[in-house]
Amino acid sequence: MAALKHRRTALERVEKFLSETYFTDCNLRGRLFGDRCPPASLSCFHTSRRIPYDEAIGQEFRPAKVGDTFGPTWETCWFKVELSIPPAWAGREVHFVWESDGEGMVWRDAQPVQGLTKEGEKTSYILTSSLKGTEPHSVTLYVELACNGLFGAGKGSMIAPPDPDRRFTLSKAELVVFNRDVYELLVDLEILLDMAQLLGEENQRSFQALYTANQMLNVCDVTDPSTFPAARDLAAAIFSQRNGESQHTIHAMGHCHIDSAWLWPYEETIRKCARSWVTVVRLMECNPELTFACSQAQQFEWVRSWYPGLYAQIQDFVAKGRFIPVGGTWVEMDGNLPSGESMVRQFLQGQRFFQEQFGWICSEFWLPDTFGYSAQLPQLMRGCGIRRFLTQKLSWNLVNTFPHHTFFWEGIDGSRVLTHFPPGDSYGMHGRVEEMLKTVKNNKDKGRVNHSAFLFGFGDGGGGPTQKMLDRMKRMSDTDGLPRVQISTPDQLFSVLEKESSQLCTWVGELFLELHNGTYTTQAQIKKGNRECERILHDVEVLSTLAAARGGAFQYPASQLQRLWRLLLLNQFHDVLPGSCIQLVVEDALQYYTEIRRAGAQLQEEAVQSLCRELLQPKAGNAESTLVLNTLPWERTEVISRTGPAGTETLALVTVPSMGYAIVREPLLPPQPVAVRKQEDGSIAMENGVIAVCLDRMGHLTSLQLVGSERESVPDGCYANQFALFDDVPLYWDAWDVMDYHLETRKPVATLLKPLEITLAGGLRGSASFSLQIGKSSTLTQEIILDAMCPYLRFLTQVEWKEARKFLKVEFPVQARSTNATYEIQFGHLQRPTHWNTSWDWARFEVWAHKWLDLSEHGFGVALLNNCKYGASAHGNVLSLSLLRAPKSPDAMADIAHHQFTYAVMPHLGSFQEAGVIQHAYNLNFPLHTVPASSAQCPAWSAFSVSSPAVVLETVKQAEDRPEAVVVRLYEAHGSTVVAWLQTSLPVKEAMLCDLLERPAAQGHLPLEPRGMRLSFTPFRVLSVLLVLGH
């Protein structure tokens, strides 16, 4: 009988039929489970450690029951669950249901078999799909329960610091009969209901779906399963109505974004990987079409080490092309702060791992959740065998909507990669109709491409795909009114996009995230550890390579260096280096830096001992010589501090050749010593023949001149080296965000504790010190240092930081006018505006830089150098360096500590390129090494030099697969096209260009000429050269 239908009542009728809350005594949802039965026995023991299965099952288990609580946070409870399946359940599908607010792992026969997390919609382990008489009816399982949730244990909100005393409740543990026919009907109705609601009243398909669902309810008697097939046939008739040929195709891929550490420690991530991936393996066994894209070599390595049985199953599915390693990096690292060489090593370690373990390298870079993307990444990808890039984080932009989802991204050297942002703006989809429609509607490149990615699975804290997600998408594979949905792979998607790419647009330069720009500054000790450890590993590699190349018994410490690099790369994960992690993670990260410093110092000492052995034997009572080593690729003349015979520190001016060493007996005399004068008003003037400075009693720089040019850098009436404190209260993401409105709360620091006093009177070095009170309870002490012949003034700064939600910066107003400032990035630099004309300009009110930033007009400029800071800005004529923040979530103690750092100011004539700003910033970050030596006469020795100041020799290391070969990496730093000659005193018998994975380039052979090796560079090009040595 045809009946009138009211849209709202018809919709709500279907909703109530599916409801978990209403009418469950008579609706379909209430029939999902049949008979239930408790475990035959349940017992547990708990431990503060994360222990292996073999150790756990040998412990003493005590009786436990549903309703008990366990904890506190970060503890582990192991449960022994003995099950006895009633014989009457023969032929039925039987599940073990477990519900708790902790994360669980089911173990059976000594192997992990299923991850269980209520938050990840995984609360059952399938014991049998149809109980047979031959199957065991008595089963013993173990459940390893982590006392933390999918997102840690934040007190009150997700990103609040963890509650150390949280208790976790076991709310269900039982055997149930699972009614598969009810489940399938529920999924049918859920999809039809979503189509009816979301396709809208103007769409006839919406009414077709609604009327079909209504009719299904009419024919379905929940007490009589024999009525179900007729209802399902009605649904199948709708789902089988096909699309037209022009419909958009969605490429669905299983995914599980697991933060290597965030609101939980590294050690818990190892278990998150296992819980998530074992669930994927179970799903793959039942769903032959399922594919799963999985990034981060480090996580594969963890599972390989801790769960070898699971890893073997994963290897099988990798070989079948279903469990798909992606990304090519060691971890999903921060996209802004790691150095260029660190980024190369992320790919080198990642791609080599995937090659060794699975026999191939990744063809796409996968970084969905990082807080912005350096403009040097396209070249680094291309150099590592990657031409495709997937992310989605720019959908988080606060101010401007990014104009594309599929486009070519061009880096600062002109390298291009095909880039795709899943248009649903998420990497954690659930396979719902709403997400499919958003993917199509939101796509910014309609008419250019007709395919897009859809990553489904619970993420961030792990979890991964569920059976229900797959079952939803099976019904949407080709249904009129919805986009086509096919289970796909990254390669299939990008291959189709490449075929369709002729109309795609190009985005040039950085992919700047207009959010989370507090992460350039938060957790300053992690930032400093990263910069220092990058330097340490650079120096160890240079010195070890030179020691090995000069023959003798020295063995290059390849395996130790790999271990240290992997620790550093792990800490570059995108919630660790940015500082957006809990205190437990900060402690782990700082411990890893301590280990790199310790082991690095030992490796460096061994390399120096081997390299310079005959120079280091002090004759009796005769140790007034000093061996000085320079790990940078240009000659340096600098003031060093060395220990004299009586143990006293003395200064000396030395010249050391590029990438080499010199013995210093009689120090050089400077052409002009440093003069320091105190004026009557308490101000202090310093001059060294290169620059002349004037400082007031509060440490302000009131004058900064280049000697000989009379050019003043500080505008009249302005103070440089001005500290300013800002209120720093973001909208939600505390450790992550500094908001635009913080700029309206600026308060200059004006409380003097100790006025400026001369601490070194001049000669080779002059200095003056002062102390300020910062905020309510913090103090800052600074020594301002001018060395002989040095073109910059250094500020050695110590802060006792005890503020809450404040942001400390130092400002340098400069007498130079330009609409752009220049910032160092990985292997190069880029310009950003100094004005706020457009919303795109204004959104970059706080940006990042590496070792320097510069504001120049034609013929003159001022650079700001630093040794461990990343946050910066340049607005109008004011250069600012961001020094310290004090957020309270997710680490309530973030940055409350003693801090030491150095920055420097360098005025210059000409461009920053001509003035050597780039080299001086390296010098500040890579101090000369001094070692007491014998007084033997010894000529200075240089291993490498480069003919052009535009080219930086960044890296010297042993080749990965060839102990007799060395890899050197150079880049063009000025933004120019140039030919440079690489000269070496090492015994090179063959040279060839190679890529960043150290694979020789076709036609890459380099002739060895008297002037060295001729290398051609275009702007910001990175070149790697493989040098085969022969003795």
Side-chain angles (χ1 to χ4, degrees):
M1 181 191 85
L4 287 170
K5 291 184 183 61
H6 181 256
R7 184 174 167 89
R8 188 191 141 190
T9 57
L11 282 168
E12 201 162 322
R13 180 190 184 199
V14 182
E15 280 175 3
K16 292 297 190 283
F17 195 63
L18 306 179
S19 173
E20 292 180 18
T21 310
Y22 302 104
F23 305 109
T24 51
D25 58 326
C26 60
N27 74 1
L28 186 63
R29 177 80 58 186
R31 303 281 162 163
L32 184 58
F33 296 110
D35 292 342
R36 300 163 186 269
C37 114
S41 98
L42 182 66
S43 54
C44 83
F45 93 95
H46 81 91
T47 168
S48 60
R49 296 184 303 122
R50 297 173 177 90
I51 60 175
Y53 172 86
D54 293 341
E55 184 181 338
I57 60 168
Q59 305 300 315
E60 187 183 340
F61 286 75
R62 295 164 190 263
K65 63 184 186 303
V66 171
D68 285 353
T69 65
F70 306 91
T73 312
W74 310 125
E75 301 257 309
T76 300
C77 297
W78 284 82
F79 293 85
K80 184 176 185 180
V81 188
E82 296 186 46
L83 302 169
S84 183
I85 306 173
W89 291 6
R92 308 305 299 272
E93 182 169 341
V94 181
H95 291 194
F96 169 57
V97 171
W98 175 277
E99 284 186 22
S100 158
D101 42 5
E103 290 191 84
M105 170 75 99
V106 182
W107 293 78
R108 185 176 185 177
D109 302 327
Q111 286 301 321
V113 291
Q114 176 70 51
L116 297 172
T117 32
K118 196 172 178 182
E119 296 161 285
E121 296 181 9
K122 295 177 189 68
T123 53
S124 63
Y125 167 56
I126 302 173
L127 287 165
T128 172
S129 56
S130 176
L131 183 65
K132 300 178 184 64
T134 53
E135 287 185 83
H137 284 43
S138 292
V139 178
T140 299
L141 304 176
Y142 287 87
V143 178
E144 176 187 11
L145 183 73
C147 292
N148 51 263
L150 213 48
F151 290 88
K155 189 171 188 173
S157 81
M158 178 181 80
I159 64 165
D163 177 354
D165 303 313
R166 184 181 290 187
R167 307 287 296 176
F168 294 79
T169 306
L170 175 58
S171 44
K172 248 185 212 170
E174 59 188 12
L175 284 171
V176 300
V177 170
F178 182 78
N179 293 321
R180 179 69 57 181
D181 51 355
V182 172
Y183 165 83
E184 297 289 0
L185 197 50
L186 282 168
V187 179
D188 285 345
L189 283 162
E190 180 199 292
I191 300 285
L192 290 170
L193 177 62
D194 282 352
M195 287 174 69
Q197 286 175 320
L198 297 165
L199 289 175
E201 289 190 55
E202 68 284 357
N203 190 324
Q204 68 160 357
R205 194 72 174 144
S206 161
F207 285 91
Q208 290 172 354
L210 177 59
Y211 289 5
T212 299
N214 188 73
Q215 184 59 22
M216 287 167 69
L217 268 59
N218 293 337
V219 304
C220 175
D221 176 355
V222 296
T223 63
D224 180 7
S226 70
T227 63
F228 295 174
R232 293 213 62 206
D233 287 346
L234 290 168
I238 282 275
F239 296 142
S240 62
Q241 288 177 319
R242 302 281 173 240
N243 269 301
E245 286 182 23
S246 69
Q247 184 57 272
H248 189 84
T249 300
I250 285 176
H251 292 250
M253 307 162 211
H255 188 49
C256 177
H257 182 72
I258 303 178
D259 288 320
S260 291
W262 179 27
L263 304 173
W264 53 87
Y266 285 129
E267 212 173 55
E268 190 55 46
T269 310
I270 300 172
R271 300 200 295 191
K272 283 178 176 286
C273 293
R275 289 189 287 259
S276 304
W277 296 358
V278 76
T279 302
V280 171
V281 167
R282 289 291 84 79
L283 284 172
M284 285 186 170
E285 290 165 350
C286 308
N287 300 271
E289 77 285 359
L290 173 60
T291 60
F292 181 73
C294 190
S295 68
Q296 307 195 71
Q298 170 70 82
Q299 295 184 1
F300 283 89
E301 174 59 26
W302 278 334
V303 171
R304 189 179 77 86
S305 303
W306 291 87
Y307 299 89
L310 170 59
Y311 190 73
Q313 294 174 299
I314 288 169
Q315 283 180 304
D316 287 345
F317 282 114
V318 171
K320 291 173 180 153
R322 295 179 57 199
F323 199 110
I324 304 162
V326 292
T329 49
W330 189 247
V331 295
E332 287 188 17
M333 73 280 194
D334 180 78
N336 301 322
L337 309 185
S339 69
E341 190 58 32
S342 287
M343 286 188 165
V344 170
R345 301 309 175 92
Q346 288 284 355
F347 287 107
L348 184 69
Q349 288 295 327
Q351 292 284 51
R352 285 177 61 81
F353 179 88
F354 292 131
Q355 180 69 51
E356 286 164 12
Q357 293 295 313
F358 307 119
W360 81 67
I361 62 171
C362 303
S363 59
E364 55 288 299
F365 184 36
W366 191 277
L367 206 57
D369 192 33
T370 290
F371 316 146
Y373 304 88
S374 164
Q376 191 56 283
L377 275 166
Q379 180 176 198
L380 302 186
M381 288 182 228
R382 294 289 294 256
C384 297
I386 290 173
R387 289 163 178 264
R388 304 156 164 183
F389 175 42
L390 182 140
T391 183
Q392 64 81 48
K393 197 64 176 187
L394 263 66
S395 66
W396 285 47
N397 269 8
L398 194 65
V399 182
N400 299 285
T401 302
F402 194 79
H404 303 294
H405 280 104
T406 307
F407 59 100
F408 284 105
W409 179 25
E410 186 176 301
I412 55 171
D413 72 310
S415 295
R416 298 169 87 202
V417 289
L418 177 59
T419 302
H420 181 69
F421 299 174
D425 293 343
S426 170
Y427 48 75
M429 295 296 203
H430 293 173
R432 305 193 75 104
V433 170
E434 179 181 12
E435 298 163 343
M436 304 301 173
L437 295 175
K438 180 182 178 183
T439 295
V440 177
K441 183 179 178 185
N442 201 37
N443 179 18
K444 301 275 189 310
D445 297 280
K446 296 182 185 77
R448 299 182 193 279
V449 287
N450 209 16
H451 294 257
S452 60
F454 183 95
L455 309 180
F456 64 93
F458 287 92
D460 292 334
T466 66
Q467 183 64 51
K468 186 175 249 187
M469 294 174 191
L470 282 163
D471 291 334
R472 286 173 184 142
M473 289 186 289
K474 283 172 190 169
R475 288 157 172 82
M476 292 187 258
S477 61
D478 192 1
T479 293
D480 188 22
L482 299 178
R484 279 194 192 85
V485 181
Q486 64 184 50
I487 300 290
S488 185
T489 66
D491 182 58
Q492 283 169 13
L493 167 72
F494 277 107
S495 296
V496 178
L497 293 177
E498 281 163 358
K499 289 194 183 88
E500 293 186 348
S501 66
S502 65
Q503 297 300 306
L504 291 179
C505 300
T506 298
W507 180 272
V508 179
E510 66 183 328
L511 293 173
F512 185 87
L513 178 65
E514 297 172 358
L515 198 70
H516 291 1
N517 29 14
T519 59
Y520 317 146
T521 307
T522 305
Q523 299 286 9
Q525 288 178 312
I526 289 181
K527 309 288 194 280
K528 183 176 182 180
N530 179 70
R531 183 82 65 87
E532 280 190 5
C533 291
E534 286 176 337
R535 167 181 61 80
I536 287 165
L537 295 181
H538 168 276
D539 286 358
V540 169
E541 287 184 335
V542 168
L543 295 167
S544 299
T545 304
L546 302 190
R550 291 186 81 181
F554 182 80
Q555 289 290 306
Y556 186 87
S559 59
Q560 296 100 305
L561 277 166
Q562 181 184 71
R563 180 180 75 88
L564 299 179
W565 264 112
R566 285 180 170 184
L567 284 179
L568 178 62
L569 299 178
L570 174 56
N571 273 353
Q572 289 173 348
F573 178 75
H574 66 250
D575 280 307
V576 181
L577 180 53
S580 48
C581 51
I582 61 171
Q583 190 177 354
L584 277 176
V585 178
V586 176
E587 289 165 5
D588 282 347
L590 295 179
Q591 197 179 331
Y592 290 166
Y593 293 133
T594 300
E595 170 59 13
I596 295 168
R597 288 183 183 108
R598 182 202 64 77
Q602 187 182 340
L603 292 175
Q604 182 174 305
E605 188 182 337
E606 288 165 11
V608 170
Q609 287 290 337
S610 172
L611 182 62
C612 310
R613 185 174 296 112
E614 65 282 6
L615 306 176
L616 299 179
Q617 318 299 345
K619 312 270 186 297
N622 192 0
E624 66 272 18
S625 293
T626 305
L627 174 72
V628 187
L629 298 109
N630 173 18
T631 57
L632 293 178
W634 43 78
E635 182 182 271
R636 295 162 68 179
T637 298
E638 288 176 28
V639 176
I640 58 159
S641 177
R642 58 177 180 163
T643 307
T648 53
E649 290 285 313
T650 59
L651 299 176
L653 183 65
V654 301
T655 294
V656 194
S658 67
M659 280 209 179
Y661 57 74
I663 287 271
V664 178
R665 290 194 67 188
E666 299 302 322
L668 304 170
L669 289 172
Q672 186 167 339
V674 181
V676 184
R677 297 188 310 281
K678 187 161 188 177
Q679 320 281 18
E680 286 178 14
D681 61 359
S683 65
I684 290 175
M686 293 198 268
E687 189 180 325
N688 68 354
V690 185
I691 57 175
V693 306
C694 194
L695 301 153
D696 74 8
R697 296 173 70 249
M698 289 195 61
H700 294 132
L701 188 57
T702 55
S703 173
L704 173 61
Q705 291 190 346
L706 281 160
V707 174
S709 80
E710 308 308 317
R711 176 65 196 256
E712 176 59 66
S713 307
V714 182
D716 282 350
C718 292
Y719 295 127
N721 200 40
Q722 169 70 62
F723 294 97
L725 202 59
F726 299 79
D727 294 344
D728 190 14
V729 185
L731 299 175
Y732 175 71
W733 295 101
D734 200 354
W736 291 259
D737 287 351
V738 54
M739 306 309 295
D740 53 329
Y741 51 76
H742 88 280
L743 294 167
E744 300 175 47
T745 66
R746 177 182 178 274
K747 292 181 186 65
V749 173
T751 310
L752 187 60
L753 294 178
K754 278 191 194 153
L756 190 71
E757 289 292 345
I758 295 172
T759 42
L760 283 175
L764 290 178
R765 175 173 291 167
S767 70
S769 298
F770 67 97
S771 296
L772 300 174
Q773 181 170 325
I774 309 267
K776 288 200 167 55
S777 44
S778 303
T779 54
L780 179 147
T781 302
Q782 195 166 62
E783 186 180 8
I784 303 176
I785 303 164
L786 184 62
D787 280 353
M789 298 181 68
C790 185
Y792 55 78
L793 182 68
R794 235 163 1 122
F795 301 84
L796 174 58
T797 315
Q798 316 235 18
V799 185
E800 212 51 65
W801 184 245
K802 298 174 183 172
E803 298 309 294
R805 296 202 167 93
K806 298 291 181 192
F807 192 177
L808 179 67
K809 303 184 190 183
V810 65
E811 300 169 346
F812 284 78
V814 300
Q815 203 150 297
R817 178 169 177 79
S818 174
T819 53
N820 287 294
T822 310
Y823 301 81
E824 188 190 39
I825 68 164
Q826 297 82 359
F827 298 135
H829 57 261
L830 50 72
Q831 294 194 321
R832 300 184 182 110
T834 57
H835 57 75
W836 294 341
N837 281 1
T838 70
S839 59
W840 293 88
D841 302 329
W842 164 76
R844 288 184 281 179
F845 57 84
E846 174 79 4
V847 296
W848 59 272
H850 281 201
K851 299 184 289 291
W852 58 268
L853 61 151
D854 181 88
L855 186 67
S856 289
E857 57 188 48
H858 179 67
F860 176 80
V862 179
L864 211 47
L865 324 178
N866 75 84
N867 75 345
C868 61
K869 297 298 170 189
Y870 295 93
S873 63
H875 184 52
N877 68 329
V878 180
L879 297 176
S880 293
L881 199 60
S882 299
L883 302 178
L884 293 167
R885 291 187 73 215
K888 294 293 157 198
S889 290
D891 174 8
M893 303 300 290
D895 283 314
I896 297 175
H898 177 81
H899 297 273
Q900 180 174 318
F901 49 85
T902 295
Y903 55 87
V905 63
M906 177 177 163
H908 58 83
L909 294 178
S911 67
F912 68 85
Q913 291 98 328
E914 294 158 348
V917 165
I918 297 166
Q919 285 78 4
H920 286 292
Y922 270 96
N923 295 350
L924 183 70
N925 278 269
F926 291 79
L928 295 167
H929 297 288
T930 59
V931 187
S934 69
S935 58
Q937 288 297 318
C938 164
W941 180 76
S942 167
F944 288 99
S945 59
V946 185
S947 65
S948 167
V951 174
V952 176
L953 169 55
E954 175 75 17
T955 304
V956 176
K957 66 183 284 289
Q958 188 182 78
E960 294 290 318
D961 295 318
R962 300 179 66 173
E964 81 288 2
V966 168
V967 169
V968 296
R969 191 159 6 265
L970 310 95
Y971 72 94
E972 197 291 318
H974 285 181
S976 62
T977 298
V978 67
V979 168
W981 292 86
L982 173 65
Q983 187 87 45
T984 180
S985 58
L986 302 188
V988 175
K989 64 178 187 186
E990 191 186 356
M992 66 201 85
L993 293 172
C994 62
D995 68 4
L996 297 177
L997 300 181
E998 304 183 7
R999 302 176 297 188
Q1003 286 92 48
H1005 180 76
L1006 294 171
L1008 302 174
E1009 301 180 45
R1011 293 178 64 186
M1013 287 148 271
R1014 185 180 188 275
L1015 300 172
S1016 296
F1017 290 88
T1018 49
F1020 306 120
R1021 186 176 184 198
V1022 178
L1023 284 183
S1024 303
V1025 184
L1026 193 68
L1027 305 175
V1028 182
L1029 305 184
H1031 284 289

